[in-house]
Amino acid sequence: MTDLPEAAQAPAPGARMPWVVSEHRGGLWAAVALLLTGVFFAWQSTPLDFGKIGLPGPGFFPFVLGIVLVAFAVVIIVEAVRSEHSEGTVAFGHRDVLIAFAAMLAVPVLFEPLGSYLTLGLFSVALLVFVGRVNPIRAAAASAVGMVAVWYFFKVLLGLQLPNGPF
Amino acid sequence: MSGFDQLVAGFSVALTWKGLLYCFIGCLWGTIVGVLPGLGPLAGMTLLLPLTFGLDPTTGIIMLTGIFYGAMYGGSTTSILVRIPGEAASVVTCIDGYEMARQGRAGPALMIAAVGSFIGGTVSILGLMFVAPPLAKVMIEIGPSVEVVLILLALAVISVVSAGSRVKTATMIVLGLVVGTIGLDRLTGVPRFTFGNLGLADGLSFTALAIGLFGISEILLNLERTETIKAIRPKLAELTPRWKDLRDAAPAIGRGSIVGFIFGIIPGVSHVVSTFVSYALEKRFSKHPEEFGKGAIAGVAGPETANNAVTGTAMIPLLALGIPSIPATAILLSALTIHGVQPGPLLLKDHPEVFWGLVASMYIGNVILLILNLPLVGIFVNLLRIPYVWLVPIILIVSIIGVYSVNFSAADIWIMVLSGGAGYLLRKFGYEMAPLLLALVLGDRLEENFRLALTMSGGSYATFADKAAIIVLVAVIGLLVVVQGCAWAFGYRKSFADEVERA
């Protein structure tokens, strides 16, 4: 061994995440979202045939599960309300996460109209430049090489037909 | 054909160039995702799942299983060298493994971890080989009511042994079950929650959901962590353990094999739990418990053996019952189903080449991993030097193409991205994705068998308790639910996550 292993210190949590919510409030939001999901499934299953209690139809299972989901969400909300004074926080809004997620959202929009290789190439450049802070020319070159590799591996080797777009 | 003949036939499948190549790829990728912090076996398997679509089922399953047990091997490397667990099952190894590295004994720690992993993995394959076939024979005789009870048992155990809040885990299970109802009802063909969209007739793409919930959410969470890691390259000569190391490690490896073997069958997070149990057991059995936490080799040998011993036995519920007990086997279930192979009691009868080919490949894979993880450990450690942001585009592009290639639909990319965002948010608030995924996989069969059992019994719920075995199973479920309810009611919050934090 030449030197002792060590992990460098990370920046303080939340230093790059501007939106900080209390665990209590965030937990409530999450539980309310789950409650609404349960209500949605229970509500949308009402037009379906329920059958009988002994011979359930297609609407029975989702309705019961929707109600159970609502019940669990209520329990979590009660727990969250009880822990109102907890000091824990959850941080959001990390720049890299937002950029990566925005870039991912663009992919399904462009994938078929623009073609897979161009879309994924642009996606790769965006991630390398804005998340990786890589020089744009270097990022473009790396992405171009990457797309050739993608084409060779997926199309030539695996025979996968990916959308070519207008080109 | 006798079991031995079938194993020989399995080796004839696994030893083809294709079988060997994909076993190697799986083991290599598994070791890589095991080494890289933030990429565990689940993300590794989901990311390469689409690549199996062009392969035959046996080769595909050989590759995916290789990733699963390969990650268990690789996870120990970063735990020992940089005190960052490559994946959850290697958390315990950080305690004594890193202490050994600090004392300049990283080599013996890595060597013992690899040897223990090899022995644990081999023991568990023997278990798979001898337990799964007779269990499958018994299961052929059972009807849908027992299957319902078994699935409920699995889900109940998952919620009890879960690492996080039990209410949140139960909520994730219900969410998985309810999301699983999207698509055509399997018994009547009635569309549910499809809103006239034919693309939803088969439900939400499992591949897209799995990659989103595990892979994408993991990547987003990792982007928040900005640690830079300095690792070291141990020399091959430094790997040799001392005689005392071997003497201390041997019983720990034996006990770890047993612990992992037993825990592998229990649904939930068995590979993680088994390491904690093994560590506690070694500390209790040790003549010098005060050495634990200060570089005791038994504290590395036991847990590392246990987490590999889980891999084979975790396949028993999947291959013999068709019920995945941990998320990794849920991915395997999905892969087999996509290939038209239904895991369960009939697998050994209808597709013996898949079962025995897999068993044989696991023996081969263990040898490959032993070779990969000892002399090449320095190369894997160097992976930690690659900036994570260079890996992100590669991983995401493979995911996107893989998800698209299942149905050739951009809608699946939407599902992947949106479920990735949802998974990221839910994980920030302490919700686990594993129970959701398992419930998603099991939901269809739970409902189908529940309704079939009632139809066959003329609507009598007594069908779920008409045999002694079923009564026992129902009693176990009831007990687990009562235990969980009491634990929650009395404010009992002790969890494995707490233990991880303490460790």
Side-chain angles (χ1 to χ4, degrees):
Chain A
M1 300 294 152
T2 50
D3 55 353
L4 286 176
E6 61 179 87
Q9 291 296 309
R16 300 177 66 190
M17 292 194 270
W19 308 325
V20 179
V21 294
S22 68
E23 264 180 8
H24 158 70
R25 178 169 293 192
L28 272 177
W29 288 348
V32 167
L34 288 165
L35 186 139
L36 293 175
T37 308
V39 168
F40 172 80
F41 274 95
W43 167 53
Q44 284 296 314
S45 60
T46 49
L48 299 167
D49 177 22
F50 263 55
K52 299 172 192 165
I53 191 78
L55 295 168
F60 178 83
F61 228 66
F63 180 78
V64 171
L65 289 170
I67 297 297
V68 175
L69 187 57
V70 168
F72 276 130
V74 169
V75 171
I76 296 169
I77 289 170
V78 170
E79 268 195 333
V81 170
R82 275 187 191 168
S83 64
E84 201 170 343
H85 302 295
S86 77
E87 291 174 1
T89 56
V90 181
F92 293 98
H94 192 288
R95 177 186 171 275
D96 294 349
V97 173
L98 293 176
I99 291 170
F101 192 67
M104 276 192 274
L105 284 173
V107 171
V109 178
L110 302 174
F111 200 72
E112 283 172 342
L114 210 56
S116 54
Y117 301 105
L118 190 54
T119 304
L120 294 176
L122 291 171
F123 173 68
S124 171
V125 169
L127 287 181
L128 288 174
V129 171
F130 297 113
V131 177
R133 283 89 170 163
V134 175
N135 175 298
I137 295 168
R138 209 173 151 211
S143 297
V145 172
M147 283 308 106
V148 172
V150 163
W151 167 80
Y152 184 77
F153 184 74
F154 288 100
K155 188 154 187 178
V156 179
L157 285 184
L158 296 180
L160 213 60
Q161 290 300 321
L162 294 171
N164 289 320
F167 309 106
Chain B
M1 268 213 298
S2 70
F4 179 74
D5 293 336
Q6 286 174 317
L7 183 63
V8 171
F11 270 104
S12 70
V13 174
L15 285 172
T16 57
W17 73 267
K18 210 172 170 187
L20 282 172
L21 174 69
Y22 283 95
C23 183
F24 177 79
I25 291 172
C27 291
L28 182 66
W29 177 243
T31 306
I32 290 169
V33 296
V35 166
L36 292 173
L39 272 182
L42 278 174
M45 289 169 79
T46 49
L47 292 176
L48 283 204
L49 175 63
L51 294 189
T52 67
F53 299 158
L55 305 172
D56 62 87
T58 312
T59 313
I61 203 85
I62 283 174
M63 186 179 85
L64 289 177
T65 312
I67 299 171
F68 176 33
Y69 54 79
M72 298 295 160
Y73 271 76
S76 59
T77 305
T78 43
S79 294
I80 291 168
L81 295 182
V82 286
R83 205 172 190 268
I84 295 172
E87 42 88 35
S90 297
V91 169
V92 175
T93 311
C94 287
I95 305 170
D96 283 285
Y98 182 68
E99 279 305 314
M100 284 183 74
R102 275 171 62 91
Q103 295 159 18
R105 302 187 60 235
L110 288 166
M111 175 73 153
I112 289 295
V115 171
S117 298
F118 176 77
I119 294 171
T122 307
V123 167
S124 76
I125 303 164
L126 287 169
L128 171 65
M129 211 170 80
F130 288 112
V131 177
L135 187 61
K137 273 185 188 165
V138 173
M139 293 308 294
I140 287 175
E141 307 299 323
I142 67 160
S145 57
V146 181
E147 195 159 343
V148 168
V149 174
L150 277 171
I151 293 172
L152 285 176
L153 178 69
L155 294 176
V157 175
I158 289 163
S159 66
V160 170
V161 302
S162 149
S165 153
R166 284 164 189 168
V167 182
K168 286 180 177 175
T169 304
T171 308
M172 286 296 98
I173 289 173
V174 178
L175 183 63
L177 291 174
V178 80
V179 170
T181 62
I182 295 173
L184 295 183
D185 174 32
R186 284 167 71 160
L187 292 181
T188 61
V190 171
R192 298 188 294 195
F193 316 111
T194 58
F195 306 104
N197 187 337
L198 284 176
L200 289 175
D202 287 332
L204 297 178
S205 159
F206 176 81
T207 313
L209 282 170
I211 294 180
L213 291 170
F214 277 104
I216 303 297
S217 67
E218 189 78 47
I219 287 167
L220 293 176
L221 286 168
N222 286 338
L223 284 172
E224 291 181 353
R225 300 170 193 144
T226 52
E227 292 98 327
T228 52
I229 298 158
K230 287 180 185 172
I232 43 166
R233 291 180 63 172
K235 292 170 190 164
L236 187 57
E238 295 168 339
L239 288 169
T240 319
R242 298 179 304 208
W243 170 244
K244 184 181 178 300
D245 293 334
L246 293 173
R247 209 178 49 206
D248 291 347
I253 288 172
R255 284 188 286 267
S257 298
I258 297 167
V259 168
F261 183 86
I262 294 167
F263 273 77
I265 303 171
I266 300 173
V269 284
S270 51
H271 58 304
V272 182
V273 180
S274 69
T275 58
F276 283 97
V277 173
S278 172
Y279 189 81
L281 203 65
E282 289 317 314
K283 202 170 176 180
R284 178 165 293 185
F285 273 94
S286 173
K287 288 175 186 165
H288 303 285
E290 72 281 357
E291 288 178 3
F292 278 73
K294 295 171 186 166
I297 199 154
V300 175
E304 277 304 313
T305 306
N307 70 27
N308 278 272
V310 163
T311 54
T313 38
M315 306 290 281
I316 295 172
L318 173 72
L319 299 176
L321 314 179
I323 297 173
S325 59
I326 54 174
T329 52
I331 305 290
L332 294 176
L333 172 72
S334 162
L336 284 169
T337 311
I338 288 168
H339 283 284
V341 177
Q342 184 60 51
L346 292 173
L347 177 77
L348 273 144
K349 190 168 164 273
D350 297 343
H351 300 280
E353 76 286 354
V354 174
F355 178 83
W356 292 104
L358 175 65
V359 169
S361 80
M362 288 176 81
Y363 281 113
I364 298 163
N366 264 289
V367 177
I368 291 173
L369 283 165
L370 194 64
I371 297 165
L372 277 178
N373 279 270
L374 287 177
L376 303 183
V377 68
I379 294 172
F380 289 116
V381 171
N382 271 342
L383 286 174
L384 295 168
R385 297 174 201 266
I386 301 174
Y388 189 68
V389 287
W390 280 93
L391 295 174
V392 171
I394 299 169
I395 296 169
L396 288 177
I397 285 169
V398 172
S399 307
I400 290 164
I401 294 174
V403 163
Y404 181 81
S405 66
V406 180
N407 298 314
F408 295 98
S409 163
D412 285 353
I413 304 176
W414 274 116
I415 294 171
M416 179 193 81
V417 175
L418 295 177
S419 61
Y424 166 77
L425 292 175
L426 286 168
R427 287 172 74 170
K428 293 280 268 185
F429 290 113
Y431 292 87
E432 289 180 69
M433 295 300 105
L436 196 162
L437 194 74
L438 285 169
L440 200 62
V441 169
L442 292 171
D444 262 0
R445 285 178 46 211
L446 176 64
E447 182 186 7
E448 188 182 347
N449 283 296
F450 179 76
R451 287 164 61 192
L452 266 178
L454 283 174
T455 306
M456 286 162 70
S457 69
S460 167
Y461 278 80
T463 187
F464 299 110
D466 66 347
K467 292 174 188 168
I470 302 178
I471 294 168
V472 170
L473 288 172
V474 172
V476 174
I477 292 174
L479 186 68
L480 287 166
V481 171
V482 169
V483 167
Q484 177 165 358
C486 290
W488 180 77
F490 292 112
Y492 179 70
R493 296 289 182 275
K494 182 175 178 294
S495 68
F496 290 105
D498 296 335
E499 294 190 34
V500 171
E501 206 172 314
R502 279 202 298 276

